[in-house]
Amino acid sequence: MSKVDRSKVDRRINKTREAINKALIELMSEKNFENITINDISERANLNRGTLYLHYSDKYDLLDKCIKDHLSNMLKFCMLSKPGEERLNVSNSPLPMFQYFEEHFLFYSSMLSNKGITCFREQMNLVVINGITERLKTGEINHGHNKEVVVQYMASAFVGVVEWWIKNNMPLSPQIMAQQLWDIFDGNYSLVGEGRIPSGS
Amino acid sequence: MSKVDRSKVDRRINKTREAINKALIELMSEKNFENITINDISERANLNRGTLYLHYSDKYDLLDKCIKDHLSNMLKFCMLSKPGEERLNVSNSPLPMFQYFEEHFLFYSSMLSNKGITCFREQMNLVVINGITERLKTGEINHGHNKEVVVQYMASAFVGVVEWWIKNNMPLSPQIMAQQLWDIFDGNYSLVGEGRIPSGS
DNA sequence: TGACTTTTGTTGACTAATCAACACATGATT
DNA sequence: AATCATGTGTTGATTAGTCAACAAAAGTCA
């Protein structure tokens, strides 16, 4: 008569998943996804092949979950700075985002540069769109622009810039990138109801 | 009816031991050994406290096995260059040794600098003595010196120099250290039966 | 084509790691 | 001295991971 608590996840599970994800990302930075075998992954992760199948049904399932996991964390990170609060100062500029991408460079580099995996860019775009949409829920646009259009515009611009930055091995610092992007956005819109930021005149 | 092979070690065992050893060395570079608890170690190693007790009876047992393990590897590494073979050229100088210590700097630094653990220096000295004795078995000394004395002299000198080098955060490169030590040894003895190396005249 | 190697996904027997719980020891604070 | 917190070492029930073995699929090449 027992049955233990089990409310928290067994730490072995996390260790295993982390090892597998790390191995996959490493391998994807080295070769084409299609050429990576389950054997490669389990060897690199230093665990039994059978263990991998306890968590993922095949390598496509693994890739899928790996992407969803990372993008979900990215979105979570973005949402930490609450929408509609202190949005016009530099402290809430895109800087944390670029620092985030810098920290997870290996992942985003692997995903964006790897041949034979087309799905990633679209998934990332989708997540960014959802994120921006969420943030714009409270602070409404008041320039007479269609919200959908603005969201698409911003998401595409952001993802495109990030993709360029990552694919080119981050030639500029996160600070510079954030400043540049902030300036461009500023030239277009201010994102909350206060309207354009008076610049000079 | 079965009984599996089990000739090789279960990879879980190696992973666990490696995590524990890494955790101990890290912690010892941060604080006094006496102030490190079993809880600290198991937390840092990211495993259950009970798991640690499956491998070690207490933290002293762990420290002991950790030291013996490292020193045994060190000796193994030293013995890779066979005694009595090509001993007079630079390629067989102490350089590999200093590179070895550089690679395992964190361990030796922790052990040599940590207060509240006196046993390490003596154990290391003993291992070095055994190593040198082993190497001198084939190539005999022929200067009329007592072998024991020569061994003690060399071991003390070597350990002393290494200890200074590690404790001072490796102020000189392994190359320089090896060259210096080689020159000093050369000024004293050549270690094989060929006698002094004619230097110049 | 056919022989071959490699990879895949699954099985069952087994072992190591996990977790909560426990009693006890040590140490500091009041 | 009594209280409180923290660390120790052990227990038993349970789960996750391991390994070798297998058959079937997919890729390689003479």
Side-chain angles (χ1 to χ4, degrees):
Chain A
M1 86 209 27
S2 41
K3 269 305 170 204
V4 203
D5 191 342
R6 298 287 170 260
S7 55
K8 285 164 189 166
V9 210
D10 194 309
R11 71 210 309 162
R12 282 173 294 184
I13 293 177
N14 287 325
K15 285 189 221 174
T16 296
R17 296 212 174 123
E18 275 166 28
I20 292 174
N21 277 277
K22 184 163 171 286
L24 174 65
I25 294 169
E26 277 181 27
L27 287 167
M28 283 189 68
S29 74
E30 294 167 17
K31 55 178 165 178
N32 195 308
F33 178 71
E34 284 308 323
N35 296 333
I36 298 173
T37 70
I38 294 281
N39 279 321
D40 291 337
I41 301 169
S42 59
E43 269 175 36
R44 180 69 67 102
N46 190 26
L47 40 79
N48 194 281
R49 195 158 49 87
T51 306
L52 200 149
Y53 287 111
L54 291 178
H55 296 265
Y56 309 97
S57 58
D58 52 38
K59 72 171 182 171
Y60 301 99
D61 180 44
L62 165 59
L63 177 64
D64 191 56
K65 284 177 175 155
C66 180
I67 290 174
K68 282 189 172 28
D69 217 56
H70 265 89
L71 290 181
S72 146
N73 285 338
M74 192 256 278
L75 192 62
K76 221 178 293 169
F77 179 86
C78 293
M79 290 311 184
L80 277 188
S81 54
K82 292 283 170 56
E85 293 177 6
E86 315 177 27
R87 300 271 245 87
L88 294 175
N89 53 13
V90 172
S91 75
N92 204 351
S93 79
L95 178 57
M97 286 308 307
F98 282 99
Q99 289 169 331
Y100 178 88
F101 286 121
E102 185 183 42
E103 189 184 338
H104 298 92
F105 172 74
L106 191 57
F107 171 77
Y108 287 96
S109 174
S110 300
M111 292 300 158
L112 288 169
S113 306
N114 198 289
K115 314 291 176 210
I117 151 185
T118 52
C119 49
F120 181 70
R121 225 207 87 107
E122 287 115 58
Q123 289 196 48
M124 179 165 166
N125 206 50
L126 213 68
V127 168
V128 171
I129 286 173
N130 288 338
I132 295 180
T133 305
E134 193 63 34
R135 295 196 75 150
L136 288 188
K137 254 187 189 148
T138 48
E140 295 290 333
I141 297 287
N142 62 356
H143 296 289
H145 293 299
N146 179 290
K147 192 171 162 184
E148 285 286 318
V149 175
V150 173
V151 168
Q152 294 294 334
Y153 172 85
M154 290 177 61
S156 301
F158 183 71
V159 172
V161 168
V162 169
E163 187 177 5
W164 167 85
W165 188 58
I166 294 289
K167 278 185 172 173
N168 288 80
N169 287 302
M170 309 182 292
L172 303 174
S173 73
Q175 285 75 22
I176 302 285
M177 290 301 296
Q179 186 62 53
Q180 297 275 320
L181 206 61
W182 185 252
D183 287 350
I184 298 173
F185 271 149
D186 198 23
N188 285 317
Y189 304 99
S190 86
L191 307 181
V192 289
E194 299 302 318
R196 262 189 104 96
I197 299 173
S199 59
S201 76
Chain B
M1 69 204 49
S2 40
K3 266 309 167 202
V4 202
D5 192 340
R6 295 294 168 253
S7 55
K8 286 163 190 169
V9 210
D10 193 310
R11 69 209 311 162
R12 281 173 294 184
I13 293 178
N14 287 325
K15 284 190 222 175
T16 297
R17 295 213 174 122
E18 273 166 29
I20 292 174
N21 277 278
K22 182 163 173 286
L24 174 65
I25 294 169
E26 277 181 29
L27 287 166
M28 283 189 69
S29 73
E30 294 167 18
K31 56 176 164 178
N32 195 308
F33 178 70
E34 284 308 322
N35 297 333
I36 297 173
T37 70
I38 294 281
N39 279 321
D40 291 337
I41 301 169
S42 58
E43 269 174 36
R44 180 68 66 101
N46 189 28
L47 39 81
N48 194 282
R49 195 158 51 86
T51 306
L52 200 149
Y53 286 111
L54 292 177
H55 296 264
Y56 309 97
S57 57
D58 52 37
K59 72 172 181 170
Y60 301 99
D61 180 43
L62 164 59
L63 176 64
D64 191 57
K65 283 177 176 157
C66 179
I67 290 175
K68 281 188 175 24
D69 217 57
H70 264 89
L71 290 183
S72 145
N73 285 337
M74 190 255 281
L75 192 62
K76 220 177 294 170
F77 179 87
C78 293
M79 290 311 184
L80 277 190
S81 55
K82 290 283 168 57
E85 294 176 6
E86 317 175 27
R87 299 270 245 85
L88 293 175
N89 52 12
V90 172
S91 75
N92 203 351
S93 79
L95 178 57
M97 287 307 308
F98 282 99
Q99 289 169 330
Y100 178 88
F101 287 120
E102 186 183 42
E103 188 183 338
H104 298 91
F105 172 75
L106 190 57
F107 171 76
Y108 288 96
S109 175
S110 300
M111 292 301 159
L112 288 168
S113 306
N114 199 289
K115 314 290 176 207
I117 150 186
T118 52
C119 50
F120 180 72
R121 223 206 89 109
E122 287 115 58
Q123 289 196 48
M124 178 164 167
N125 208 49
L126 215 68
V127 168
V128 171
I129 286 172
N130 289 338
I132 294 180
T133 306
E134 193 64 35
R135 294 195 77 151
L136 288 187
K137 255 187 189 149
T138 50
E140 294 292 331
I141 297 287
N142 62 356
H143 297 289
H145 292 301
N146 181 289
K147 191 171 162 183
E148 284 286 316
V149 175
V150 174
V151 168
Q152 294 294 333
Y153 171 86
M154 289 177 62
S156 301
F158 183 72
V159 172
V161 168
V162 169
E163 185 178 4
W164 166 86
W165 187 59
I166 294 289
K167 278 185 172 173
N168 288 80
N169 287 302
M170 309 182 292
L172 303 173
S173 73
Q175 284 75 22
I176 301 285
M177 290 300 296
Q179 185 63 53
Q180 297 274 320
L181 206 61
W182 185 252
D183 287 350
I184 299 174
F185 271 150
D186 198 24
N188 284 317
Y189 305 100
S190 88
L191 306 181
V192 289
E194 300 301 318
R196 263 190 103 98
I197 299 172
S199 58
S201 73

